[in-house]
């Protein structure tokens, strides 16, 4: 029988997050009786408990090297590893409010040669140039209250950035606000190159305010352009943690995913896109002893199966890199391990364990 892994306590000097406030006993996969396959990790980076790692992303350099970049909430920096071996490479940042400094970095996304990082305690998003991680721009400071996650997509001559904003009740910071105040749970920005640099513009705010579609606790958000779909994780255990389906227009579609499957807390998500238009969603259930990763069909959202690693636990953010390398010919799935490391899973091992069909990634 598995025993619970020791978890990292909320770091000193920072306010706790919603999933750190529960007075209930942490749910354990070993006691959940959820059917799943075990997939061994290809590697786990060296543990750095003082960092409080939150979310990973990856980038391929022009010479073919894969970088694994993760946010460190407690030390206010980005840590970089070799994405094929897990070896430590470098770190950047440090606490502060200036360009290049960070305060409680949470969500991260990489697109083209840019990394975008959410800073909860600076109430903003910061944009970095790769490979030197040169800071280019900060935005959202006038609009965001408690930002956590983000999703980025390329448009014709710009990027669209959707940021989750987990502001709480003004009367009680431990509780979500009333439903009527949840219409600004997500902020939509346009990011465009202008003479001399970059410019960000707030394009809108959205969030359902109905009993069925509202997001009480908002962190993870991810989109699928081909299916005009946003999946957002409802992390509020009191009302039932699950994924909700929104359209790219920000409207709730009236469908929830995994309402009876998630037993701990719905967390980070990733999308495997296949060249024929099919694919798979991977969504985290944040058990404290070992994280569970549910897999859903991209088009129908039907549950396909679930897997867990041999050790990986208490996962916040995840990232899927479908690019091929000698180490990972069909791509690699990254998941944060217990706030102190990042685990890597070979996609071939996941596909074999769950009998997934071949998923050749679309051409870049």
């Amino acid at each position: 029988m598995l025993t619970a892994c020791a978890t990292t306590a909320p770091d000193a000097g920072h306010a706790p997050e919603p999933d750190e406030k529960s007075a209930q006993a942490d749910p354990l996969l070993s006691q959940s009786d959820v059917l799943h396959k075990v997939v061994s990790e290809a590697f786990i980076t060296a543990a750095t408990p003082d960092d409080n790692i939150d979310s990973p992303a990856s980038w391929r350099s022009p010479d073919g090297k894969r970088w694994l970049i993760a946010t460190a909430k407690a030390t206010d920096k980005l840590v970089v590893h070799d994405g094929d071996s897990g070896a430590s490479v470098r770190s950047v940042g440090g606490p502060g409010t200036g360009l290049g400094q960070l305060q409680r970095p949470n969500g991260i996304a990489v697109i083209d040669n840019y990394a975008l990082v959410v800073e909860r305690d600076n109430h903003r998003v910061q944009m970095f140039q790769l490979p030197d991680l040169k800071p280019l721009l900060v935005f959202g400071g006038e609009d965001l209250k408690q930002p956590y996650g983000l999703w980025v997509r390329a448009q014709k001559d710009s990027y669209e950035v959707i940021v989750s904003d987990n502001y709480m009740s003004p009367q009680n910071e431990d509780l979500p606000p009333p439903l009527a105040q949840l219409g600004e749970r997500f902020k939509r920005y346009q990011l465009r190159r202008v003479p001399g640099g970059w410019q960000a513009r707030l394009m809108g705010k959205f969030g359902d305010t109905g009993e069925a579609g509202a997001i009480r606790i908002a962190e993870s958000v991810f989109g699928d352009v081909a299916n005009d779909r946003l999946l957002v994780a409802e992390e509020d255990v009191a009302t039932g943690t699950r994924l909700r389906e929104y359209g790219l227009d920000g409207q709730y579609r009236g469908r929830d995913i995994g309402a009876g499957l998630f037993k701990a807390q719905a967390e980070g998500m990733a999308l495997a896109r296949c060249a024929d238009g099919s694919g798979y969603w991977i969504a985290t259930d944040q058990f404290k002893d070992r994280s569970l990763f549910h897999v859903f069909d991209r088009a129908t959202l039907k549950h396909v199966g679930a897997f867990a690693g041999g050790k990986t636990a208490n996962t916040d953010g995840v990232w899927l890199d479908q690019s091929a390398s000698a180490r990972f010919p069909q791509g690699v799935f990254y998941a944060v391990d217990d706030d102190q490391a990042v685990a890597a899973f070979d996609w071939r091992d996941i596909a074999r364990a769950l009998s997934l069909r071949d998923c050749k990634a679309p051409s870049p």
Side-chain angles (χ1 to χ4, degrees), residues 30-228:
S30 59
Q31 299 174 2
S32 71
D33 198 30
V34 178
L35 292 176
H36 64 278
K37 300 290 186 178
V38 176
V39 178
S40 296
E41 294 87 347
F43 66 76
I44 302 177
T45 62
T48 56
D50 290 343
D51 280 334
N52 197 344
I53 302 297
D54 185 84
S55 295
S58 65
W59 176 75
R60 295 300 293 271
S61 66
D63 63 2
K65 292 183 179 179
R66 195 193 311 267
W67 286 17
L68 169 60
I69 309 168
T71 55
K73 295 185 292 191
T75 52
D76 301 305
K77 62 185 181 181
L78 304 178
V79 294
V80 183
H81 296 85
D82 183 296
D84 284 340
S85 71
S88 178
V89 175
R90 61 182 294 206
S91 65
V92 299
T97 60
L99 192 66
Q101 296 177 316
L102 301 163
Q103 290 282 8
R104 192 73 174 189
N106 279 273
I108 180 172
V110 168
I111 188 167
D112 297 330
N113 293 324
Y114 307 103
L116 289 98
V117 179
V118 174
E119 301 178 58
R120 188 197 70 176
D121 290 359
N122 273 337
H123 317 290
R124 69 188 188 185
V125 179
Q126 187 159 186
M127 181 183 188
F128 295 85
Q129 170 82 53
L130 292 162
D132 55 2
L133 285 168
K134 174 185 176 182
L136 300 175
L137 177 73
V138 295
F139 63 93
E142 296 180 355
D143 320 301
L144 298 168
K145 301 171 185 175
Q146 291 283 338
Y148 278 90
L150 80 167
W151 175 66
V152 185
R153 64 161 166 163
Q155 298 185 306
K156 183 178 180 180
D157 58 354
S158 62
Y159 296 107
E160 181 183 63
V161 185
I162 294 177
V163 185
S164 64
D165 197 357
N166 197 55
Y167 53 89
M168 303 299 277
S169 170
Q171 289 75 36
N172 187 342
E173 280 294 316
D174 290 338
L175 297 174
L179 293 177
Q181 297 177 21
L182 293 176
E184 299 182 359
R185 260 301 182 238
F186 302 92
K187 310 295 195 297
R188 192 191 303 268
Y189 295 89
Q190 182 190 65
L191 192 57
R192 184 189 299 274
R193 189 186 293 274
V194 296
W198 288 83
Q199 180 184 75
R201 183 165 57 133
L202 179 66
M203 303 300 290
K205 308 173 184 180
F206 65 91
D208 196 90
T209 57
E211 182 72 31
I215 303 296
R216 281 80 168 174
I217 303 295
E219 290 191 32
S220 300
V221 54
F222 208 94
D224 180 0
V225 176
N227 288 290
D228 187 24

Side-chain angles (χ1 to χ4, degrees), residues 24 175-176 216-217 234-242 265:
Q24 299 177 345
L175 297 174
R216 281 80 168 174
I217 303 295
E234 170 58 272
E235 297 191 24
D236 185 35
V237 176
T239 57
T241 185
R242 64 194 68 194
Q265 191 174 62

Side-chain angles (χ1 to χ4, degrees), residues 251-316:
Q251 299 298 307
Y252 176 53
R253 293 286 175 81
R255 177 161 58 162
D256 290 352
I257 301 94
L261 291 172
F262 290 95
K263 306 295 185 182
Q265 191 174 62
E267 273 280 357
M269 295 175 287
L271 175 64
R273 300 180 302 118
C274 306
D276 64 359
S278 65
Y280 300 97
W281 283 95
I282 305 98
T284 307
D285 201 357
Q286 193 185 40
F287 288 100
K288 298 298 181 181
D289 55 345
R290 283 190 307 147
S291 298
L292 188 70
F293 303 102
H294 288 290
V295 179
F296 302 89
D297 182 86
R298 178 185 184 183
T300 66
L301 300 180
K302 178 182 177 181
H303 190 245
V304 175
F307 70 95
K311 176 187 178 296
T312 305
N314 194 30
T315 298
D316 285 305

